Amino acid sequence: MRSWTRVTWLQDIPNQYVHFGDFDLAGINIYLTEFYPHLGPERSAFFVPADIEERLAASGSRERYSAQFARFGRMPLPDPRVEPLVQLIHRHQKGYDQEGYVE
């Protein structure tokens, strides 16, 4: 019997998993460490909205980026599909809450 984790139930169903988390370094790290290793590229993806660059630039949090950079600024990116998002976050030096999309 396998021990339960947050992702166990996802492994047991055939659905694709699309991660809708914060658009910051810590949010990407959660996806890369807690979901991607168990589901792989065939079953998981990180949702990146088309307007994320505009939202980062206009109302992203520079404080959040600064607080997260030491820990996550140079994290490995085993899923190359998140590299463009990480580059945007570094370019603007800001993070953005997922709640900004839920209005």
Side-chain angles (χ1 to χ4, degrees), residues 13-26:
I13 61 174
N15 302 52
Q16 290 283 102
Y17 170 71
V18 178
H19 188 80
F20 180 55
D22 288 335
F23 303 96
D24 60 19
L25 299 174

Side-chain angles (χ1 to χ4, degrees), residues 6 16 25 38-39 49 52 67-69 72 100:
R6 319 173 40 151
Q16 290 283 102
L25 299 174
H38 302 286
L39 300 171
I52 190 60
Q68 295 176 359
F69 184 81
F72 304 114

Side-chain angles (χ1 to χ4, degrees), residues 38-51:
H38 302 286
L39 300 171
E42 300 82 23
R43 301 240 357 256
S44 65
F46 193 104
F47 176 68
V48 181
D51 67 345

Side-chain angles (χ1 to χ4, degrees), residues 33 36 38 42 44 48 53 57 64 73 77 97:
T33 60
Y36 184 79
H38 302 286
E42 300 82 23
S44 65
V48 181
E53 183 166 18
R64 173 178 296 171
L77 302 175
D97 286 329

